Structures are given as structure tokens and as C-alpha cells.
């Protein structure tokens, strides 16, 4: 009996490792549901997918991940059109080199890297549970080690200016928040058949520091030196999304190097801190999640 075609939602799939993961999943026969902000980039990606895997079913939905209202609308549009979602891949992300504040009043990196993925996942949550066995895969980073010792609740609302030199610590904090979100969600969904994991994709040259003037020539140089091949980063995403070996694995944080388990730095490894961040996020996003029972108390959901 032929296996059903899996429906896989991927954010940030029109460039970088997300695009390469989409191509790999298309070759495996997936039905792709992609989010995009730029129509021209989406068209390029669609053409690449058609060339790599002719006939692949692809649906594209447009939204702006710097706007929480746009993220919420995007998520609701997707669940209205797709009764089943087998895999959600939270890949969208940004490394900003100067502080920008979103329309909702958050630091852009906090909004895009953490809040948007949290909100998008929780809007798709009920559909993922109904679709079980299903999976949630979130792209984090070992850059999170630069966020060690920070206060996640303070970072959630921090809008202080920073320089390009200081941006890495802020980026690392948002990626540690992603790990905390993923591990708290895994506990909440334990026993539902939804496997929740996150990963470090390693160093990838694609999209590297695109806001910096020297990014393009540096990217060409690193590619010539065969450093930072984005196919490796895409590979670990695809493994966690589709490899049967990870079907029942949940709550993990995995390295691009042979899917080796990683332990996040403090406070990312602390369940109480993870729960506190989760509940603080619920309170700040209450207007968007009133219909969702997503407040965590002692590892459970009410």
C-alpha cells in the first residue's frame, strides 16, 4: 500500500538552509507548504523545486514575521486550508546588526527568531495533534552559548541599542529562547504523538551577515574554500523531520554533526526557567492566543 504524502510546513523556505531543506523534502515526495514574505523569491524557489522534483505539490502563503498580527493571520490561513500537518519546520530567522523595533514594540530579533515561531507553532498546534504522529522541528543554534547566564524574561522586552559587535549575544539569546520553547512544548505534548525537537545547523554561508557590506564577497570566498556548506544544515533538518529513527524522539537538541545530542547552556537547560519564559510569552501574546489553552503549570497545560 502506498504511503500517504506528508504535508510539511516550512517557514523561511525561500532562501538559505530552509530552501535547501525544501528541495530535499520535495525529492522525498512531500507536499510542501511554504511561508514567504517576498513573492519574487518565492517564485525562484518554486522554479527550483519544480526542476528538482517535477510535479511536487507546493502551496505558498505570504506573511511578515516581524508583525505578530501577520504571523497569526498566516497561521490561521494555513490551518483553514490544511486539515492535516505532518511536520512543522520553524526555520525563519534573522541576525540583525543594529537594533530595530517592530510594530508590536519588540526587538526585531526577539520578534522574528522567537515570538513569531512560538505564535505560529501554537496556532498550528491543534492541527499537529490531530495529525499525530507528527513532528515539530525548530532551527536553533550553538550560537545560543553566547546567551549563557542571561535573564530570558528581561530579554523578551529588551530594546536597548546594540552594535554589530554586540549583536551576536542578542542573536544567541533568541536562539536559546527557541531551545527553551522547544523543550517546554515537548513536555506539554508528551503522549500526544507529536515529537518536538530542535537543532543546531552548524555554520552555513548562505545569507551570512547579509546586512554587512562585505557579506557577498565573504560568502563567495567561503564557498570557494568549501567552508560552511549549507547542505549539511539542511540535512539535519530533513533528518529530524522525516527519518524514522526520530519518529518517537522528543525534547531533544541535536547537532549537525551526526545528530549528536546537545545540552543547552544555562538557563536554557532549566525546566523552571523554560516554564517561566513560556508563561511570560503567553501573557504577552494573549491577544493572539485567547482560543488556545497554552499556559504551562508544572509542566502541564491548562
Amino acid at each position: 500500500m502506498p504511503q500517504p504524502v506528508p504535508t510539511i510546513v516550512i517557514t523561511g523556505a525561500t532562501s538559505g538552509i530552509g530552501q535547501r531543506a525544501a528541495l530535499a523534502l520535495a525529492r522525498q515526495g512531500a507536499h510542501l507548504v511554504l511561508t514567504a514574505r517576498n513573492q519574487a523569491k518565492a517564485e525562484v524557489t518554486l522554479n527550483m523545486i519544480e526542476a528538482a522534483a517535477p510535479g511536487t505539490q507546493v502551496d505558498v502563503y505570504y506573511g511578515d514575521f516581524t508583525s505578530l498580527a501577520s504571523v497569526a493571520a498566516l497561521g490561521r490561513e494555513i490551518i483553514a486550508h490544511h486539515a492535516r500537518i505532518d511536520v512543522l519546520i520553524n526555520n525563519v530567522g534573522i541576525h540583525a546588526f543594529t537594533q530595530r523595533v517592530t510594530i508590536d514594540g519588540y526587538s526585531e530579533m526577539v520578534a522574528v527568531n522567537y515570538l513569531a515561531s512560538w505564535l505560529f507553532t501554537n496556532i498550528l498546534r491543534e492541527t499537529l495533534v490531530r495529525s499525530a504522529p507528527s513532528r515539530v522541528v525548530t532551527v536553533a543554534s550553538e550560537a545560543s552559548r553566547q546567551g549563557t547566564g542571561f535573564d530570558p524574561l528581561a530579554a523578551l522586552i529588551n530594546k536597548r541599542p546594540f552594535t554589530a559587535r554586540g549583536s551576536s549575544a542578542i542573536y544567541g539569546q533568541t536562539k536559546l529562547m527557541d531551545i527553551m520553547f522547544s523543550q517546554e512544548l515537548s513536555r506539554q505534548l508528551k503522549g500526544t504523538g507529536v515529537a518536538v525537537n530542535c537543532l543546531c545547523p552548524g555554520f552555513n554561508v548562505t545569507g551570512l551577515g547579509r546586512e554587512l557590506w562585505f557579506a557577498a564577497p565573504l560568502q563567495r570566498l567561503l564557498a570557494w574554500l568549501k567552508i560552511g556548506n549549507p547542505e549539511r544544515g539542511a540535512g539535519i533538518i530533513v533528518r529530524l523531520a522525516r527519518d524514522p529513527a526520530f519518529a518517537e524522539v522528543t525534547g531533544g537538541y541535536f547537532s549537525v554533526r551526526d545528530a549528536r545530542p546537545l545540552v543547552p547552556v544555562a538557563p536554557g537547560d532549566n525546566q523552571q526557567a523554560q516554564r517561566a519564559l513560556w508563561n511570560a510569552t503567553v501573557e504577552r501574546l494573549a491577544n493572539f492566543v485567547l482560543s488556545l489553552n497554552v499556559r504551562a503549570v508544572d509542566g502541564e497545560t491548562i
Side-chain angles (χ1 to χ4, degrees):
M1 179 180 296
Q3 295 295 314
V5 175
T7 298
I8 301 179
V9 178
I10 313 176
T11 67
T14 59
S15 63
I17 60 174
Q19 185 184 71
R20 283 165 169 76
L23 291 169
L25 291 164
R27 294 187 188 99
Q28 293 184 10
H31 168 196
L32 300 179
V33 178
L34 311 182
T35 72
R37 181 177 181 178
N38 182 296
Q39 187 171 359
K41 291 175 68 175
E43 289 296 333
V44 169
T45 300
L46 288 171
N47 291 335
M48 292 173 66
I49 291 172
E50 179 61 24
T56 297
Q57 185 176 355
V58 187
D59 298 306
V60 181
Y61 296 86
Y62 293 92
D64 181 354
F65 273 66
T66 68
S67 164
L68 294 172
S70 180
V71 172
L74 179 63
R76 293 185 182 115
E77 184 180 10
I78 288 174
I79 61 175
H81 289 90
H82 301 278
R84 180 176 185 85
I85 296 174
D86 296 278
V87 182
L88 165 61
I89 299 173
N90 289 313
N91 169 70
V92 70
I94 183 173
H95 186 149
F97 291 91
T98 186
Q99 180 67 285
R100 293 187 291 264
V101 177
T102 69
I103 191 172
D104 301 294
Y106 294 100
S107 169
E108 185 179 38
M109 280 199 281
V110 171
V112 175
N113 296 353
Y114 171 64
L115 290 172
S117 292
W118 189 101
L119 179 59
F120 190 71
T121 300
N122 278 288
I123 289 174
L124 271 58
R125 177 174 176 156
E126 292 182 6
T127 302
L128 285 158
V129 171
R130 287 198 307 269
S131 305
S134 54
R135 309 185 195 189
V136 177
V137 178
T138 297
V139 178
S141 174
E142 279 291 80
S144 59
R145 299 199 174 277
Q146 298 184 59
T148 182
F150 81 115
D151 179 353
L153 303 187
L156 195 60
I157 57 174
N158 180 13
K159 294 181 283 188
R160 289 193 301 272
F162 55 79
T163 63
R165 183 183 297 273
S167 66
S168 293
I170 308 299
Y171 176 80
Q173 290 173 9
T174 65
K175 287 301 179 179
L176 190 56
M177 292 161 80
D178 280 337
I179 297 168
M180 297 170 74
F181 146 65
S182 180
Q183 296 193 338
E184 173 62 31
L185 181 63
S186 73
R187 285 191 295 275
Q188 292 187 20
L189 295 182
K190 185 176 181 180
T192 65
V194 183
V196 183
N197 294 292
C198 57
L199 63 101
C200 172
F203 175 71
N204 297 274
V205 299
T206 305
L208 175 68
R210 54 184 175 268
E211 296 182 16
L212 300 176
W213 69 266
F214 55 82
L218 178 59
Q219 182 173 321
R220 289 193 293 270
L221 174 61
L222 292 174
W224 181 74
L225 293 172
K226 298 182 179 180
I227 296 173
N229 184 354
E231 297 296 340
R232 294 180 68 238
I236 182 62
I237 294 173
V238 173
R239 284 189 67 183
L240 291 180
R242 296 294 295 147
D243 191 330
F246 291 97
E248 297 182 8
V249 176
T250 192
Y253 172 38
F254 297 95
S255 170
V256 69
R257 298 179 180 178
D258 301 319
R260 175 171 53 88
L262 296 169
V263 178
V265 296
D269 59 345
N270 183 288
Q271 290 189 20
Q272 185 175 357
Q274 293 169 357
R275 194 170 306 128
L277 175 61
W278 181 280
N279 287 334
T281 305
V282 172
E283 291 174 4
R284 301 201 70 85
L285 302 187
N287 290 339
F288 303 102
V289 294
L290 284 175
S291 62
L292 301 174
N293 296 320
V294 293
R295 185 175 177 86
V297 177
D298 294 330
E300 298 181 356
T301 306
I302 61 173

